[in-house]
Amino acid sequence: MKNILVTGGAGYIGSHTCIELLAAGYTPIVIDNLCNSSTISLDKVKQITGKKITFIEGDVRDAKFLDSVFKKFNIYGVIHFAGLKAVGESVEEPFMYYDNNIAGSICLFDAMNRNNVKRIIFSSSATVYGDPATVPIKEDFPVSATNPYGRSKLHIEEILQDIYVSDDQWNIGLLRYFNPVGAHKSGLIGEDPNGIPNNLMPYISGVAVGKYKELSVFGGNYPTPDGTGVRDYIHVVDLAKGHVKALQAFESSKVDNLYTVNLGTGIGYSVLEMVKAFSTASNKKIAYKIVARRSGDIACCYADPTLAKEMLGWQAQYGIQEMCDDTWRWQSGNPDGYKVNAEPHLMVEDVTV
Ligand code: NAD
Ligand code: UFG
């Protein structure tokens, strides 16, 4: 059994990835400082898989903590999800973003190096493509950043590239996610944003469940078929499976020791198409109004996913209706996210290090 250190593994994408790692025979070891999650997600993973996840509360910026984890467990590789992800907040709080995302990543990579663990999958983002000149977006398109969050992703990619140049024993997969949505089929785990959601899908589902009155559609005059923004939404379970393929790829000859790959479906949907699909899934009317564009948004963004298929043997399986159906199952069953299900005694193993 290979132990995979999953940083930020109690979060949205991390918890779904733990399920797929277990299904593929890996053992996830989760570390998380719980700044945007709770261990209830890992209790639910246990309920879904029947397997207990080793969880250690801690911060990737804590070198001593990381050393103790690497010394205690024989780690085969790392999947690095831990980080902050709200674009608007990053503009307000650049120190916080650079400290958490960049300093945290450097601390982690340094600890990996010291402990001779040189295999990593990093959560990057389609945001590194800025406003692309054309779509679909290929991995060799120019990169840029317009906010501290995006810049942190770009810098971390560059830091990992420099690490590889200095030592080609490293195996590094840079995964550029498009727009993750959806939830596990069980309806037990899903996205649980703090406060009012910034992203489209949790906001639409919040309207459907009656938490918010109406959706503000940011911009109705983009150069897209219906005037609203177009994105490549990808089911979080597909994304999670992509991480397993990305790890396995290091053992094949199909990828270089350092590779960059898009994880998207290759299909773009507009905001209004998402509203319609969610309305069908939930059987609820989703009230919306078209308002001004949101600063920093682009008209259209979707992936060319060819490379992922060729290199990783990975392709998204789920379509827009499953993304909406599964989000609805999670949202309607857990209108307050994990909070309502909080139990006094967590079943997560708390390893003292
Ligand atoms: P999330 O907030 O649900 O998960 C991130 C987890 O990291 C949380 O559990 C949080 O508590 C933890 N964390 C944050 N800082 C930490 C630190 N310093 N030490 C330890 N743990 C820490 O977010 P997510 O949607 O699951 O995203 C996971 C990764 O994917 C992030 O790096 C994010 O930037 C990236 N990403 C997300 C999206 C998206 O739209 N969800 C898109 C592209 C890339
Ligand atoms: N939108 C609305 N109303 C809302 C929220 C969003 O109309 O209340 C629109 C946006 O204008 C955009 C689309 O819905 O056209 C998607 O917006 P999201 O905020 O859900 O996602 P973004 O494409 O803006 O960005 C997301 C993440 C980034 C990540 C990027 C690519 O927030 O961190 O996907 O992975 F970098």
Side-chain angles (χ1 to χ4, degrees):
M1 290 285 258
K2 289 171 177 162
N3 291 330
I4 307 297
L5 183 68
V6 186
T7 78
Y12 173 45
I13 306 171
S15 53
H16 287 81
T17 300
C18 286
I19 294 177
E20 301 306 326
L21 284 169
L22 287 166
Y26 293 101
T27 303
I29 309 287
V30 170
I31 60 171
D32 200 303
N33 68 1
L34 305 178
C35 70
N36 196 36
S37 56
S38 101
T39 51
I40 298 171
S41 61
L42 300 177
D43 291 342
K44 301 291 176 188
V45 170
K46 183 180 178 216
Q47 210 174 317
I48 293 164
T49 62
K51 292 176 186 152
K52 190 168 168 179
I53 302 259
T54 299
F55 169 72
I56 313 142
E57 186 172 345
D59 197 297
V60 292
R61 290 165 293 184
D62 182 343
K64 262 170 101 174
F65 164 70
L66 292 176
D67 277 339
S68 64
V69 173
F70 282 111
K71 294 219 153 48
K72 189 169 178 96
F73 301 95
N74 180 20
I75 302 290
Y76 170 80
V78 175
I79 304 184
H80 180 31
F81 293 110
L84 302 175
K85 62 168 183 176
V87 173
E89 186 184 56
S90 80
V91 175
E92 303 294 319
E93 302 279 356
F95 286 117
M96 192 165 94
Y97 272 68
Y98 289 134
D99 179 46
N100 204 325
N101 293 6
I102 299 187
S105 294
I106 293 173
C107 187
L108 173 70
F109 306 154
D110 200 18
M112 290 175 67
N113 200 40
R114 269 196 308 280
N115 290 280
N116 205 28
V117 176
K118 298 185 176 178
R119 199 176 278 109
I120 184 164
I121 302 295
F122 172 60
S123 301
S124 189
S125 164
T127 194
V128 300
Y129 295 115
D131 192 354
T134 57
V135 281
I137 300 171
K138 287 181 187 294
E139 288 80 354
D140 60 1
F141 275 26
V143 290
S144 66
T146 53
N147 56 68
Y149 168 71
R151 204 160 288 120
S152 74
K153 292 293 176 193
L154 214 45
H155 282 333
I156 299 164
E157 286 198 2
E158 287 163 347
I159 290 164
L160 283 167
Q161 285 155 2
D162 288 340
I163 289 172
Y164 181 72
V165 169
S166 77
D167 178 357
D168 65 8
Q169 294 303 301
W170 279 76
N171 282 236
I172 300 169
L174 306 176
L175 308 188
R176 292 178 177 161
Y177 313 156
F178 281 67
N179 289 53
V181 296
H184 190 262
K185 294 266 169 238
S186 61
L188 291 174
I189 60 169
E191 190 170 10
D192 183 20
N194 273 334
I196 298 172
N198 299 307
N199 296 115
L200 180 66
M201 196 61 144
Y203 203 98
I204 293 183
S205 62
V207 173
V209 86
K211 274 206 283 194
Y212 313 114
K213 197 163 90 23
E214 64 184 1
L215 170 75
S216 293
V217 176
F218 299 139
N221 59 354
Y222 281 109
T224 59
D226 65 16
T228 65
V230 167
R231 296 290 183 276
D232 185 339
Y233 297 95
I234 172 170
H235 197 295
V236 66
V237 171
D238 274 331
L239 191 61
K241 289 179 198 272
H243 289 74
V244 173
K245 293 281 190 187
L247 262 182
Q248 290 168 338
F250 290 134
E251 284 158 29
S252 82
S253 54
K254 289 204 174 139
V255 299
D256 293 331
N257 287 350
L258 165 67
Y259 69 87
T260 304
V261 72
N262 288 337
L263 293 183
T265 65
I267 303 169
Y269 288 108
S270 73
V271 176
L272 294 184
E273 284 174 316
M274 293 305 283
V275 167
K276 191 164 171 237
F278 206 87
S279 190
T280 304
S282 59
N283 204 18
K284 305 264 180 203
K285 190 174 169 337
I286 313 288
Y288 70 86
K289 66 165 185 267
I290 302 211
V291 301
R293 292 180 180 189
R294 182 171 66 179
S295 154
D297 270 357
I298 58 174
C300 183
C301 170
Y302 57 90
D304 180 337
T306 311
L307 198 61
K309 190 171 178 193
E310 285 171 5
M311 287 194 328
L312 310 183
W314 173 91
Q315 199 175 7
Q317 303 294 320
Y318 297 116
I320 182 176
Q321 214 50 60
E322 282 151 317
M323 296 181 209
C324 293
D325 288 349
D326 296 341
T327 302
W328 178 240
R329 193 176 302 110
W330 155 252
Q331 176 74 81
S332 53
N334 308 268
D336 295 316
Y338 291 115
K339 294 160 202 82
V340 80
N341 293 325
E343 288 164 20
H345 299 291
L346 299 175
M347 293 166 70
V348 176
E349 186 182 30
D350 199 7
V351 177
T352 311
V353 290

